Amino acid sequence: FFTKETRKIAIASYYGLCSYLDSNIKKVLDTLEACGLRDDTLIVYTADHGENLGTRRLWGKSNMYEEAAAIPLILSGPDVTAGKVVNTPVTLAEGANTILATLGVENSTKPDSQSWRRTANETDDPTRVAFSEYHATGADTAAYMIRKGAHKYIHYVGYGSELFDLNTDPEEQTNLANDPEHAATLVKLQAELTHRIDPDEINAAAQRFQAALVNLHG
């Protein structure tokens, strides 16, 4: 997708953005230090999505593949062990509980949701379920993701599902959803999804809401 010259420009732009980002993170940390707040502040570094960057001939995001769905997540602050790598799956939806818990407010309205800081201090649970859903730009139907252990299950309303083993297939090239040897895994992950939501009902509700917005604004 790139010529030799445009590749050079893209790489230079990337490193330029990284340097700019690093410099601004330093400004935030230096300001907290200068104000005497560094030791009392929970710092979270994350992003709202990844980027396909041409993988599968896709650009942008708006899908459940690892390069778009996976995000950076770094915590620093009180009661966070420095240098620890956590292998428990979490989601951005747990950011709300993280903020509330940091402020001393308990608000765990969903059984699967808890503070990132609490997760960071617990024993790793790599089989914990991470759930995601998408109903927005570029999608004519809902997409739902269940990540549990080595497996990722992607459910599309009205289309075939996808199942990947991320240990043996980290690039998600081989769909195992129709493989009889993985039928039991597929059933278990489907149950994890329907335990949380009714995929068809949520999809219909999202589309009704979107249609109402179109009708309202023209």
Side-chain angles (χ1 to χ4, degrees):
F1 293 97
F2 291 109
T3 66
K4 185 176 181 179
E5 292 305 314
T6 55
R7 186 179 291 111
K8 290 181 181 178
I9 294 172
I11 291 173
S13 298
Y14 171 78
Y15 283 111
L17 286 171
C18 289
S19 298
Y20 179 71
L21 175 63
D22 289 346
S23 67
N24 280 287
I25 291 175
K26 184 178 185 302
K27 289 178 182 177
V28 172
L29 297 179
D30 287 347
T31 300
L32 288 172
E33 194 74 45
C35 294
L37 298 173
R38 180 65 180 87
D39 294 335
D40 300 321
T41 302
L42 178 66
I43 299 170
V44 179
Y45 174 82
T46 189
D48 59 338
H49 60 83
E51 168 61 55
N52 288 110
L53 283 176
T55 306
R56 279 172 271 269
R57 301 181 67 85
L58 296 174
W59 291 89
K61 46 180 180 175
S62 309
N63 58 77
M64 297 298 181
Y65 301 120
E66 282 295 278
E67 63 271 8
I71 56 169
L73 180 58
I74 302 173
L75 301 185
S76 175
D79 301 321
V80 178
T81 303
K84 180 181 179 182
V85 176
V86 179
N87 295 303
T88 301
V90 296
T91 71
L92 282 174
E94 292 161 340
N97 269 343
T98 302
I99 294 170
L100 292 172
T102 301
L103 296 174
V105 178
E106 291 297 329
N107 184 30
S108 185
T109 57
K110 296 183 178 181
D112 292 341
S113 182
Q114 66 181 31
S115 165
W116 290 327
R117 186 160 57 177
R118 174 181 162 186
T119 300
N121 287 315
E122 292 180 343
T123 303
D124 279 354
D125 180 9
T127 64
R128 183 172 186 251
V129 171
F131 166 71
S132 183
E133 59 185 304
Y134 185 78
H135 305 273
T137 306
D140 68 338
T141 190
Y144 305 95
M145 181 194 79
I146 292 288
R147 169 71 187 274
K148 185 175 184 179
H151 293 97
K152 177 191 286 188
Y153 171 64
I154 307 175
H155 179 91
Y156 305 98
V157 174
Y159 296 92
S161 299
E162 292 180 298
L163 175 66
F164 301 105
D165 184 331
L166 298 179
N167 280 350
T168 60
D169 180 28
E171 300 299 322
E172 299 167 296
Q173 297 294 313
T174 304
N175 182 10
L176 304 172
N178 297 316
D179 187 334
E181 293 186 6
H182 294 85
T185 299
L186 182 68
V187 169
K188 289 179 182 178
L189 296 182
Q190 288 173 333
E192 292 282 1
L193 175 63
T194 56
H195 169 70
R196 289 163 173 76
I197 61 165
D198 181 325
D200 294 334
E201 180 181 311
I202 296 299
N203 177 58
Q207 292 190 346
R208 285 196 301 270
F209 180 76
Q210 291 164 348
L213 284 177
V214 172
N215 290 333
L216 176 64
H217 298 290

